[in-house]
Amino acid sequence: MIRVIENVDAFWEIDRYDVVLLGCSIYCMIEGGFGGKLKNRFPIIREVDDKTPYADTRKLGTRVNIKETKPMFSLAYICKYPMKKKPTVDYDALEKCLQTFNNEFKGKKVITTILGHSKYDGYGDKEKCLEIMRRCLTDVDVDIYDYRQMSMREEMWRLFEYIQIVGKINWDLNKYMYDRQNELYRIMYCMEPTESEETEDSQTE
């Protein structure tokens, strides 16, 4: 069964699933969006990706699994160098990855995005990517999250704008959020605190 869930950030839902299917570039660039948050929470994702041959076109259509985590991850190499306005997804590679994934993880509950469509994994045509996914993922229970994936900088700016809006309504809450911006950024991106922030925290204890 395939369901498309709109306007929900997939990152905050992953603990309800068995497997995360992540679209990747052959250039070992898991940056921003869904993948960017995942690699911060699960550093093993970057470690495994970095061990694959850099920019090797032979990776297209292949997958690497990470089964020692919960949920498990499957990194699908479906695009060349990610570009913001130029499609770099390889549709044949996408189809091959999905077919092997469907066979390997039959019956599993899977979370993913519209693979090959975001600026981080190929910038391909949304409907074509969805058509391939619907055709290939027939034996797994898949939730496809359809939302605008943003860079870390974009998400930080959105939080800053939200703090400004809050300030017009509740000054005390605005000050509380403003003073803890770095902490909020870390929560959003599952980042470890910087050395300077750890020093500040220890001084206030």
Side-chain angles (χ1 to χ4, degrees), residues 123 140 160:
Y123 209 71
V140 287
F160 178 77

Side-chain angles (χ1 to χ4, degrees), residues 1-199:
M1 177 184 294
I2 291 181
R3 291 171 295 273
V4 177
I5 300 172
E6 297 182 338
N7 302 318
V8 176
D9 189 334
F11 177 73
W12 304 107
E13 309 296 326
I14 63 172
D15 292 327
R16 300 191 292 109
Y17 296 85
D18 301 316
V19 191
V20 178
L21 177 57
L22 180 65
C24 297
S25 161
I26 61 172
Y27 282 81
C28 303
M29 294 175 62
I30 301 179
E31 305 291 342
F34 186 40
K37 291 178 180 178
L38 288 173
K39 73 169 187 193
N40 286 332
R41 179 175 170 185
F42 299 92
I44 191 173
I45 293 176
R46 167 164 277 182
E47 293 169 12
V48 169
D49 185 44
D50 285 347
K51 288 179 181 177
T52 64
Y54 180 80
D56 189 342
T57 55
R58 290 174 297 180
K59 283 163 58 176
L60 287 169
T62 67
R63 291 181 299 104
V64 177
N65 294 327
I66 303 172
K67 295 188 175 182
E68 53 265 53
T69 56
K70 188 177 181 180
M72 297 180 286
F73 293 91
S74 187
L75 312 184
Y77 293 96
I78 59 174
C79 76
K80 296 180 181 178
Y81 193 89
M83 302 181 73
K84 291 182 179 179
K85 297 296 181 182
K86 181 180 178 181
T88 60
V89 64
D90 185 311
Y91 293 111
D92 289 336
L94 173 60
E95 184 166 348
K96 185 175 180 181
C97 283
L98 294 176
Q99 288 172 342
T100 59
F101 180 87
N102 184 67
N103 291 332
E104 183 174 358
F105 292 99
K106 186 175 297 186
K108 295 294 185 182
K109 190 170 176 60
V110 179
I111 181 172
T112 189
T113 57
I114 301 178
L115 294 180
H117 172 58
S118 83
K119 61 185 177 182
Y120 301 107
D121 65 359
Y123 209 71
D125 180 78
K126 177 179 178 179
E127 294 307 318
K128 185 168 184 177
C129 292
L130 273 173
E131 186 276 325
I132 294 173
M133 294 182 76
R134 288 192 175 104
R135 176 159 42 86
C136 296
L137 298 175
T138 55
D139 297 317
V140 287
D141 186 10
V142 187
D143 285 346
I144 301 173
Y145 284 73
D146 177 11
Y147 64 103
R148 180 173 172 264
Q149 298 182 52
M150 294 184 283
S151 67
M152 182 177 176
R153 178 174 295 181
E154 287 176 301
E155 294 219 28
M156 286 182 170
W157 180 251
R158 186 174 67 170
L159 176 61
F160 178 77
E161 289 181 324
Y162 178 72
I163 292 173
Q164 305 310 305
I165 293 171
V166 169
K168 296 177 182 179
I169 303 171
N170 186 323
W171 170 250
D172 291 334
L173 180 58
N174 170 264
K175 186 175 186 306
Y176 176 87
M177 294 178 67
Y178 186 82
D179 290 343
R180 289 161 177 79
Q181 281 186 83
N182 287 336
E183 180 182 349
L184 292 169
Y185 293 152
R186 290 200 306 271
I187 292 171
M188 288 169 61
Y189 256 81
C190 291
M191 295 162 56
E192 294 297 323
T194 64
E195 184 176 337
S196 61
E197 289 167 350
E198 287 180 331
T199 302

